[in-house]
Amino acid sequence: MSIAASNTSMRVPAGFRNLLEGLAREVLREQPTDVVAFAAQYFQKLLEQREAGGTDPVAWGAMLED
């Protein structure tokens, strides 16, 4: 089964690239054996920081990308 190519282009949401780069940096630094569990913990920490009134990493990353 093949999927027809589409002329539509997908746009990366603002801040997403910066968010993934941060995850990639931490994965390379920590070298976890379970990358998926590590990523879940990483994003959970970011969510907790945002909910505690800290900075929103996505909004901050979006400002850096501009």
Side-chain angles (χ1 to χ4, degrees):
M1 173 188 277
S2 66
I3 299 173
S6 174
N7 287 339
T8 60
S9 62
M10 297 178 70
R11 295 182 59 189
V12 177
F16 188 65
R17 177 175 292 146
N18 186 270
L19 193 64
L20 290 182
E21 286 175 357
L23 173 62
R25 235 183 343 269
E26 290 303 309
V27 166
L28 291 172
R29 189 170 63 84
E30 295 288 331
Q31 299 288 307
T33 55
D34 187 346
V35 175
V36 174
F38 181 85
Q41 291 172 353
Y42 175 80
F43 288 123
Q44 183 63 40
K45 286 179 193 175
L46 290 179
L47 182 61
E48 290 170 2
Q49 288 173 356
R50 184 179 73 181
E51 289 174 347
T55 59
D56 183 350
V58 174
W60 183 75
M63 288 188 305
L64 292 177
E65 291 173 3
D66 287 340

Short mmCIF file of all heavy atoms in Angstrom, two decimals:
data_model
loop_
_atom_site.label_atom_id
_atom_site.label_comp_id
_atom_site.label_asym_id
_atom_site.label_seq_id
_atom_site.Cartn_x
_atom_site.Cartn_y
_atom_site.Cartn_z
N MET A 1 0.84 -1.17 0.00
CA MET A 1 0.00 0.00 0.00
C MET A 1 0.89 1.24 0.00
O MET A 1 1.85 1.33 0.74
CB MET A 1 -0.88 -0.02 1.26
CG MET A 1 -1.67 1.24 1.43
SD MET A 1 -2.55 1.32 3.01
CE MET A 1 -3.97 0.36 2.62
N SER A 2 0.58 2.17 -0.84
CA SER A 2 1.36 3.40 -0.89
C SER A 2 0.47 4.58 -0.53
O SER A 2 -0.74 4.53 -0.68
CB SER A 2 1.98 3.60 -2.27
OG SER A 2 0.95 3.80 -3.22
N ILE A 3 1.11 5.61 -0.06
CA ILE A 3 0.39 6.83 0.31
C ILE A 3 0.77 7.91 -0.68
O ILE A 3 1.95 8.14 -0.94
CB ILE A 3 0.77 7.26 1.74
CG1 ILE A 3 0.39 6.17 2.73
CG2 ILE A 3 0.10 8.58 2.11
CD1 ILE A 3 0.87 6.41 4.13
N ALA A 4 -0.23 8.53 -1.23
CA ALA A 4 0.01 9.58 -2.22
C ALA A 4 0.70 10.77 -1.56
O ALA A 4 0.38 11.14 -0.43
CB ALA A 4 -1.30 10.02 -2.85
N ALA A 5 1.65 11.35 -2.27
CA ALA A 5 2.34 12.53 -1.76
C ALA A 5 1.38 13.71 -1.78
O ALA A 5 0.53 13.82 -2.64
CB ALA A 5 3.56 12.83 -2.61
N SER A 6 1.55 14.58 -0.83
CA SER A 6 0.68 15.75 -0.72
C SER A 6 1.53 17.00 -0.89
O SER A 6 2.69 17.04 -0.50
CB SER A 6 0.00 15.74 0.65
OG SER A 6 -0.72 16.92 0.82
N ASN A 7 0.92 18.01 -1.44
CA ASN A 7 1.62 19.28 -1.61
C ASN A 7 1.52 20.16 -0.37
O ASN A 7 2.11 21.23 -0.34
CB ASN A 7 1.06 20.04 -2.82
CG ASN A 7 1.50 19.41 -4.12
OD1 ASN A 7 2.48 18.70 -4.16
ND2 ASN A 7 0.75 19.66 -5.17
N THR A 8 0.79 19.70 0.63
CA THR A 8 0.68 20.51 1.84
C THR A 8 1.95 20.37 2.65
O THR A 8 2.58 19.32 2.70
CB THR A 8 -0.51 20.07 2.71
OG1 THR A 8 -0.33 18.70 3.09
CG2 THR A 8 -1.82 20.21 1.97
N SER A 9 2.34 21.45 3.26
CA SER A 9 3.54 21.41 4.09
C SER A 9 3.12 21.57 5.55
O SER A 9 2.20 22.30 5.87
CB SER A 9 4.52 22.51 3.70
OG SER A 9 3.92 23.77 3.91
N MET A 10 3.81 20.85 6.39
CA MET A 10 3.52 20.92 7.82
C MET A 10 4.45 21.94 8.45
O MET A 10 5.62 21.99 8.12
CB MET A 10 3.70 19.55 8.46
CG MET A 10 2.75 18.52 7.90
SD MET A 10 3.02 16.90 8.60
CE MET A 10 2.46 17.14 10.26
N ARG A 11 3.90 22.72 9.35
CA ARG A 11 4.70 23.73 10.05
C ARG A 11 4.99 23.25 11.46
O ARG A 11 4.12 22.74 12.14
CB ARG A 11 3.95 25.05 10.09
CG ARG A 11 3.75 25.64 8.69
CD ARG A 11 3.05 26.95 8.75
NE ARG A 11 3.86 27.87 9.56
CZ ARG A 11 3.44 29.05 9.94
NH1 ARG A 11 2.24 29.46 9.63
NH2 ARG A 11 4.20 29.83 10.67
N VAL A 12 6.19 23.43 11.87
CA VAL A 12 6.59 23.08 13.23
C VAL A 12 6.08 24.18 14.16
O VAL A 12 6.32 25.36 13.91
CB VAL A 12 8.13 22.95 13.33
CG1 VAL A 12 8.56 22.67 14.75
CG2 VAL A 12 8.64 21.87 12.39
N PRO A 13 5.34 23.81 15.22
CA PRO A 13 4.83 24.84 16.13
C PRO A 13 5.97 25.63 16.78
O PRO A 13 7.06 25.10 17.01
CB PRO A 13 4.09 24.03 17.19
CG PRO A 13 3.82 22.70 16.56
CD PRO A 13 4.93 22.47 15.59
N ALA A 14 5.69 26.88 17.08
CA ALA A 14 6.68 27.75 17.72
C ALA A 14 7.13 27.14 19.04
O ALA A 14 6.32 26.69 19.84
CB ALA A 14 6.08 29.13 17.96
N GLY A 15 8.43 27.09 19.24
CA GLY A 15 9.00 26.57 20.47
C GLY A 15 9.27 25.08 20.46
O GLY A 15 9.99 24.57 21.32
N PHE A 16 8.70 24.36 19.50
CA PHE A 16 8.85 22.90 19.46
C PHE A 16 10.28 22.48 19.19
O PHE A 16 10.79 21.56 19.83
CB PHE A 16 7.90 22.33 18.41
CG PHE A 16 7.81 20.83 18.41
CD1 PHE A 16 7.29 20.16 19.50
CD2 PHE A 16 8.25 20.10 17.33
CE1 PHE A 16 7.20 18.78 19.51
CE2 PHE A 16 8.16 18.73 17.32
CZ PHE A 16 7.64 18.05 18.41
N ARG A 17 10.92 23.14 18.25
CA ARG A 17 12.30 22.80 17.92
C ARG A 17 13.21 22.97 19.14
O ARG A 17 14.01 22.09 19.47
CB ARG A 17 12.81 23.65 16.76
CG ARG A 17 14.28 23.37 16.43
CD ARG A 17 14.73 24.12 15.21
NE ARG A 17 14.03 23.54 14.07
CZ ARG A 17 13.62 24.23 13.01
NH1 ARG A 17 13.86 25.51 12.91
NH2 ARG A 17 12.98 23.65 12.03
N ASN A 18 13.05 24.08 19.83
CA ASN A 18 13.86 24.34 21.02
C ASN A 18 13.59 23.31 22.11
O ASN A 18 14.51 22.85 22.79
CB ASN A 18 13.57 25.75 21.53
CG ASN A 18 14.47 26.14 22.66
OD1 ASN A 18 14.13 25.90 23.82
ND2 ASN A 18 15.59 26.74 22.34
N LEU A 19 12.35 22.91 22.27
CA LEU A 19 11.96 21.90 23.25
C LEU A 19 12.64 20.57 22.94
O LEU A 19 13.19 19.92 23.84
CB LEU A 19 10.44 21.75 23.24
CG LEU A 19 9.78 21.00 24.36
CD1 LEU A 19 10.00 21.71 25.68
CD2 LEU A 19 8.30 20.88 24.07
N LEU A 20 12.62 20.16 21.68
CA LEU A 20 13.24 18.89 21.30
C LEU A 20 14.76 18.96 21.38
O LEU A 20 15.40 17.96 21.73
CB LEU A 20 12.80 18.50 19.89
CG LEU A 20 11.35 18.06 19.75
CD1 LEU A 20 11.06 17.65 18.32
CD2 LEU A 20 11.00 16.95 20.71
N GLU A 21 15.33 20.11 21.09
CA GLU A 21 16.78 20.25 21.22
C GLU A 21 17.20 20.10 22.68
O GLU A 21 18.22 19.49 22.98
CB GLU A 21 17.25 21.59 20.66
CG GLU A 21 17.24 21.64 19.16
CD GLU A 21 17.59 23.02 18.60
OE1 GLU A 21 17.78 23.97 19.39
OE2 GLU A 21 17.65 23.13 17.37
N GLY A 22 16.40 20.63 23.59
CA GLY A 22 16.69 20.49 25.01
C GLY A 22 16.64 19.03 25.43
O GLY A 22 17.51 18.55 26.17
N LEU A 23 15.64 18.31 24.96
CA LEU A 23 15.54 16.89 25.26
C LEU A 23 16.73 16.14 24.69
O LEU A 23 17.35 15.32 25.38
CB LEU A 23 14.24 16.30 24.70
CG LEU A 23 14.11 14.77 24.81
CD1 LEU A 23 14.12 14.31 26.26
CD2 LEU A 23 12.88 14.30 24.07
N ALA A 24 17.07 16.41 23.45
CA ALA A 24 18.20 15.73 22.80
C ALA A 24 19.50 15.98 23.56
O ALA A 24 20.30 15.04 23.77
CB ALA A 24 18.34 16.19 21.35
N ARG A 25 19.71 17.20 24.00
CA ARG A 25 20.91 17.53 24.78
C ARG A 25 20.99 16.71 26.05
O ARG A 25 22.03 16.15 26.39
CB ARG A 25 20.90 19.03 25.12
CG ARG A 25 22.11 19.77 24.69
CD ARG A 25 22.13 21.23 25.11
NE ARG A 25 20.89 21.87 25.51
CZ ARG A 25 20.07 22.52 24.69
NH1 ARG A 25 20.34 22.61 23.41
NH2 ARG A 25 18.98 23.08 25.15
N GLU A 26 19.86 16.62 26.75
CA GLU A 26 19.84 15.87 28.01
C GLU A 26 20.02 14.37 27.78
O GLU A 26 20.69 13.69 28.55
CB GLU A 26 18.54 16.14 28.77
CG GLU A 26 18.46 17.54 29.33
CD GLU A 26 19.62 17.87 30.25
OE1 GLU A 26 19.90 17.09 31.18
OE2 GLU A 26 20.25 18.92 30.04
N VAL A 27 19.44 13.84 26.71
CA VAL A 27 19.61 12.42 26.38
C VAL A 27 21.08 12.14 26.09
O VAL A 27 21.65 11.15 26.56
CB VAL A 27 18.71 11.99 25.19
CG1 VAL A 27 19.13 10.64 24.63
CG2 VAL A 27 17.25 11.96 25.62
N LEU A 28 21.72 13.00 25.32
CA LEU A 28 23.14 12.80 25.00
C LEU A 28 24.01 12.93 26.24
O LEU A 28 24.99 12.20 26.40
CB LEU A 28 23.58 13.80 23.93
CG LEU A 28 22.97 13.57 22.56
CD1 LEU A 28 23.31 14.72 21.63
CD2 LEU A 28 23.42 12.25 21.97
N ARG A 29 23.65 13.84 27.14
CA ARG A 29 24.43 14.05 28.35
C ARG A 29 24.26 12.89 29.33
O ARG A 29 25.23 12.39 29.89
CB ARG A 29 24.01 15.36 29.02
CG ARG A 29 24.90 15.80 30.16
CD ARG A 29 24.58 17.22 30.61
NE ARG A 29 23.24 17.38 31.13
CZ ARG A 29 22.89 17.12 32.39
NH1 ARG A 29 23.78 16.68 33.25
NH2 ARG A 29 21.66 17.32 32.79
N GLU A 30 23.02 12.43 29.52
CA GLU A 30 22.73 11.40 30.51
C GLU A 30 22.92 9.97 29.98
O GLU A 30 23.15 9.06 30.77
CB GLU A 30 21.29 11.55 31.02
CG GLU A 30 21.03 12.82 31.78
CD GLU A 30 21.66 12.82 33.15
OE1 GLU A 30 21.81 11.74 33.75
OE2 GLU A 30 22.02 13.91 33.62
N GLN A 31 22.75 9.77 28.69
CA GLN A 31 22.85 8.44 28.07
C GLN A 31 21.95 7.41 28.78
O GLN A 31 22.42 6.36 29.23
CB GLN A 31 24.31 7.95 28.08
CG GLN A 31 25.28 8.83 27.30
CD GLN A 31 25.08 8.71 25.81
OE1 GLN A 31 25.08 7.62 25.27
NE2 GLN A 31 24.89 9.84 25.15
N PRO A 32 20.64 7.69 28.88
CA PRO A 32 19.76 6.77 29.58
C PRO A 32 19.58 5.46 28.81
O PRO A 32 19.65 5.43 27.58
CB PRO A 32 18.44 7.53 29.65
CG PRO A 32 18.46 8.41 28.44
CD PRO A 32 19.90 8.82 28.29
N THR A 33 19.33 4.38 29.54
CA THR A 33 19.09 3.10 28.87
C THR A 33 17.68 3.04 28.31
O THR A 33 17.44 2.38 27.30
CB THR A 33 19.31 1.91 29.84
OG1 THR A 33 18.48 2.10 30.98
CG2 THR A 33 20.76 1.83 30.27
N ASP A 34 16.74 3.73 28.95
CA ASP A 34 15.35 3.79 28.48
C ASP A 34 15.04 5.23 28.10
O ASP A 34 14.64 6.04 28.95
CB ASP A 34 14.41 3.29 29.57
CG ASP A 34 12.97 3.15 29.11
OD1 ASP A 34 12.62 3.68 28.03
OD2 ASP A 34 12.19 2.52 29.84
N VAL A 35 15.21 5.54 26.83
CA VAL A 35 15.05 6.92 26.36
C VAL A 35 13.60 7.39 26.50
O VAL A 35 13.35 8.55 26.85
CB VAL A 35 15.55 7.07 24.90
CG1 VAL A 35 15.28 8.46 24.37
CG2 VAL A 35 17.02 6.73 24.82
N VAL A 36 12.65 6.50 26.25
CA VAL A 36 11.25 6.89 26.34
C VAL A 36 10.88 7.27 27.77
O VAL A 36 10.24 8.30 28.01
CB VAL A 36 10.33 5.77 25.81
CG1 VAL A 36 8.87 6.11 26.03
CG2 VAL A 36 10.59 5.52 24.33
N ALA A 37 11.28 6.47 28.75
CA ALA A 37 11.01 6.79 30.15
C ALA A 37 11.73 8.07 30.55
O ALA A 37 11.17 8.90 31.28
CB ALA A 37 11.44 5.63 31.06
N PHE A 38 12.95 8.25 30.08
CA PHE A 38 13.70 9.46 30.37
C PHE A 38 12.98 10.68 29.81
O PHE A 38 12.84 11.70 30.48
CB PHE A 38 15.11 9.37 29.79
CG PHE A 38 15.96 10.57 30.05
CD1 PHE A 38 16.67 10.69 31.24
CD2 PHE A 38 16.05 11.60 29.13
CE1 PHE A 38 17.44 11.81 31.50
CE2 PHE A 38 16.82 12.72 29.38
CZ PHE A 38 17.53 12.82 30.57
N ALA A 39 12.49 10.57 28.57
CA ALA A 39 11.77 11.68 27.94
C ALA A 39 10.50 12.00 28.71
O ALA A 39 10.17 13.18 28.92
CB ALA A 39 11.45 11.35 26.48
N ALA A 40 9.80 10.97 29.17
CA ALA A 40 8.58 11.20 29.94
C ALA A 40 8.89 11.95 31.23
O ALA A 40 8.19 12.91 31.59
CB ALA A 40 7.90 9.87 30.26
N GLN A 41 9.96 11.56 31.91
CA GLN A 41 10.36 12.24 33.14
C GLN A 41 10.82 13.67 32.85
O GLN A 41 10.50 14.60 33.60
CB GLN A 41 11.48 11.47 33.83
CG GLN A 41 11.02 10.15 34.40
CD GLN A 41 12.18 9.30 34.92
OE1 GLN A 41 13.34 9.66 34.74
NE2 GLN A 41 11.85 8.20 35.56
N TYR A 42 11.55 13.85 31.77
CA TYR A 42 12.04 15.17 31.38
C TYR A 42 10.86 16.13 31.14
O TYR A 42 10.83 17.25 31.67
CB TYR A 42 12.88 15.04 30.11
CG TYR A 42 13.36 16.35 29.53
CD1 TYR A 42 14.47 17.01 30.05
CD2 TYR A 42 12.71 16.92 28.43
CE1 TYR A 42 14.92 18.20 29.51
CE2 TYR A 42 13.16 18.11 27.88
CZ TYR A 42 14.26 18.75 28.43
OH TYR A 42 14.69 19.93 27.89
N PHE A 43 9.88 15.67 30.37
CA PHE A 43 8.73 16.52 30.07
C PHE A 43 7.85 16.72 31.30
O PHE A 43 7.25 17.78 31.47
CB PHE A 43 7.93 15.98 28.90
CG PHE A 43 8.63 16.17 27.58
CD1 PHE A 43 8.90 15.09 26.76
CD2 PHE A 43 9.03 17.42 27.16
CE1 PHE A 43 9.56 15.26 25.55
CE2 PHE A 43 9.69 17.61 25.96
CZ PHE A 43 9.95 16.52 25.15
N GLN A 44 7.78 15.72 32.19
CA GLN A 44 7.03 15.88 33.43
C GLN A 44 7.64 16.97 34.29
O GLN A 44 6.93 17.79 34.87
CB GLN A 44 6.97 14.55 34.19
CG GLN A 44 6.13 14.62 35.46
CD GLN A 44 4.67 14.93 35.19
OE1 GLN A 44 4.09 14.42 34.24
NE2 GLN A 44 4.09 15.76 36.02
N LYS A 45 8.97 17.00 34.37
CA LYS A 45 9.65 18.05 35.13
C LYS A 45 9.36 19.43 34.55
O LYS A 45 9.10 20.39 35.28
CB LYS A 45 11.16 17.82 35.15
CG LYS A 45 11.60 16.70 36.05
CD LYS A 45 13.10 16.55 35.98
CE LYS A 45 13.57 15.26 36.60
NZ LYS A 45 15.02 15.04 36.42
N LEU A 46 9.41 19.54 33.22
CA LEU A 46 9.10 20.82 32.58
C LEU A 46 7.68 21.26 32.87
O LEU A 46 7.41 22.44 33.14
CB LEU A 46 9.32 20.74 31.06
CG LEU A 46 10.76 20.61 30.58
CD1 LEU A 46 10.78 20.52 29.06
CD2 LEU A 46 11.61 21.76 31.06
N LEU A 47 6.75 20.31 32.84
CA LEU A 47 5.35 20.61 33.12
C LEU A 47 5.18 21.08 34.56
O LEU A 47 4.47 22.06 34.82
CB LEU A 47 4.50 19.37 32.86
CG LEU A 47 3.00 19.51 33.07
CD1 LEU A 47 2.42 20.58 32.13
CD2 LEU A 47 2.32 18.18 32.83
N GLU A 48 5.85 20.39 35.49
CA GLU A 48 5.76 20.79 36.90
C GLU A 48 6.34 22.19 37.11
O GLU A 48 5.79 22.98 37.88
CB GLU A 48 6.47 19.76 37.77
CG GLU A 48 5.73 18.45 37.85
CD GLU A 48 6.53 17.33 38.51
OE1 GLU A 48 7.68 17.57 38.94
OE2 GLU A 48 6.02 16.20 38.57
N GLN A 49 7.44 22.50 36.43
CA GLN A 49 8.04 23.83 36.54
C GLN A 49 7.08 24.89 36.02
O GLN A 49 6.91 25.95 36.62
CB GLN A 49 9.35 23.90 35.77
CG GLN A 49 10.48 23.14 36.41
CD GLN A 49 11.71 23.11 35.53
OE1 GLN A 49 11.70 23.60 34.39
NE2 GLN A 49 12.77 22.51 36.03
N ARG A 50 6.44 24.60 34.89
CA ARG A 50 5.50 25.56 34.31
C ARG A 50 4.31 25.77 35.24
O ARG A 50 3.87 26.90 35.46
CB ARG A 50 5.03 25.08 32.95
CG ARG A 50 4.12 26.08 32.25
CD ARG A 50 3.68 25.61 30.91
NE ARG A 50 2.70 24.55 31.09
CZ ARG A 50 2.13 23.90 30.09
NH1 ARG A 50 2.47 24.16 28.85
NH2 ARG A 50 1.24 22.96 30.32
N GLU A 51 3.77 24.68 35.78
CA GLU A 51 2.60 24.79 36.65
C GLU A 51 2.93 25.46 37.98
O GLU A 51 2.05 26.04 38.61
CB GLU A 51 1.99 23.40 36.88
CG GLU A 51 1.32 22.86 35.64
CD GLU A 51 0.82 21.43 35.79
OE1 GLU A 51 1.20 20.76 36.77
OE2 GLU A 51 0.05 21.01 34.92
N ALA A 52 4.18 25.39 38.40
CA ALA A 52 4.60 26.02 39.65
C ALA A 52 4.81 27.53 39.48
O ALA A 52 5.21 28.21 40.42
CB ALA A 52 5.88 25.36 40.17
N GLY A 53 4.57 28.01 38.29
CA GLY A 53 4.70 29.44 38.05
C GLY A 53 6.04 29.84 37.45
O GLY A 53 6.32 31.01 37.31
N GLY A 54 6.83 28.85 37.11
CA GLY A 54 8.10 29.14 36.46
C GLY A 54 7.88 29.50 35.02
O GLY A 54 6.76 29.75 34.57
N THR A 55 8.93 29.50 34.28
CA THR A 55 8.82 29.86 32.87
C THR A 55 8.24 28.70 32.07
O THR A 55 8.41 27.54 32.41
CB THR A 55 10.20 30.21 32.29
OG1 THR A 55 11.06 29.08 32.45
CG2 THR A 55 10.79 31.42 32.98
N ASP A 56 7.55 29.04 31.02
CA ASP A 56 7.01 28.05 30.09
C ASP A 56 8.09 27.78 29.05
O ASP A 56 8.44 28.68 28.28
CB ASP A 56 5.75 28.59 29.43
CG ASP A 56 5.09 27.57 28.51
OD1 ASP A 56 5.70 26.53 28.23
OD2 ASP A 56 3.96 27.84 28.06
N PRO A 57 8.65 26.57 29.00
CA PRO A 57 9.75 26.30 28.08
C PRO A 57 9.36 26.45 26.61
O PRO A 57 10.18 26.82 25.79
CB PRO A 57 10.16 24.87 28.40
CG PRO A 57 9.02 24.28 29.13
CD PRO A 57 8.31 25.41 29.81
N VAL A 58 8.10 26.21 26.30
CA VAL A 58 7.66 26.36 24.91
C VAL A 58 7.60 27.83 24.53
O VAL A 58 8.09 28.24 23.47
CB VAL A 58 6.30 25.66 24.67
CG1 VAL A 58 5.79 25.93 23.27
CG2 VAL A 58 6.43 24.17 24.92
N ALA A 59 7.04 28.65 25.41
CA ALA A 59 6.97 30.10 25.13
C ALA A 59 8.37 30.69 25.08
O ALA A 59 8.67 31.51 24.21
CB ALA A 59 6.13 30.79 26.21
N TRP A 60 9.24 30.26 25.99
CA TRP A 60 10.60 30.76 26.02
C TRP A 60 11.34 30.34 24.73
O TRP A 60 12.04 31.14 24.11
CB TRP A 60 11.31 30.21 27.25
CG TRP A 60 12.70 30.71 27.43
CD1 TRP A 60 13.08 31.94 27.86
CD2 TRP A 60 13.91 29.99 27.18
NE1 TRP A 60 14.46 32.02 27.90
CE2 TRP A 60 14.98 30.83 27.48
CE3 TRP A 60 14.17 28.70 26.72
CZ2 TRP A 60 16.31 30.44 27.33
CZ3 TRP A 60 15.49 28.30 26.58
CH2 TRP A 60 16.53 29.17 26.90
N GLY A 61 11.16 29.09 24.33
CA GLY A 61 11.79 28.60 23.10
C GLY A 61 11.28 29.33 21.87
O GLY A 61 12.03 29.59 20.94
N ALA A 62 10.00 29.65 21.87
CA ALA A 62 9.43 30.38 20.73
C ALA A 62 10.06 31.77 20.61
O ALA A 62 10.33 32.24 19.50
CB ALA A 62 7.92 30.50 20.89
N MET A 63 10.33 32.40 21.75
CA MET A 63 10.98 33.72 21.71
C MET A 63 12.39 33.60 21.16
O MET A 63 12.86 34.46 20.43
CB MET A 63 11.02 34.35 23.10
CG MET A 63 9.66 34.82 23.57
SD MET A 63 9.72 35.78 25.10
CE MET A 63 10.56 34.67 26.22
N LEU A 64 13.09 32.51 21.50
CA LEU A 64 14.45 32.32 21.00
C LEU A 64 14.48 32.07 19.50
O LEU A 64 15.44 32.44 18.83
CB LEU A 64 15.12 31.14 21.71
CG LEU A 64 15.44 31.32 23.18
CD1 LEU A 64 16.02 30.04 23.76
CD2 LEU A 64 16.40 32.47 23.39
N GLU A 65 13.44 31.43 18.99
CA GLU A 65 13.39 31.10 17.57
C GLU A 65 13.07 32.31 16.70
O GLU A 65 13.37 32.30 15.52
CB GLU A 65 12.36 29.99 17.32
CG GLU A 65 12.80 28.66 17.90
CD GLU A 65 11.72 27.59 17.82
OE1 GLU A 65 10.64 27.87 17.27
OE2 GLU A 65 11.97 26.49 18.32
N ASP A 66 12.45 33.33 17.29
CA ASP A 66 12.10 34.52 16.48
C ASP A 66 13.31 35.32 16.10
O ASP A 66 14.32 35.37 16.59
CB ASP A 66 11.12 35.41 17.25
CG ASP A 66 9.73 34.77 17.28
OD1 ASP A 66 9.47 33.90 16.43
OD2 ASP A 66 8.95 35.14 18.16
#
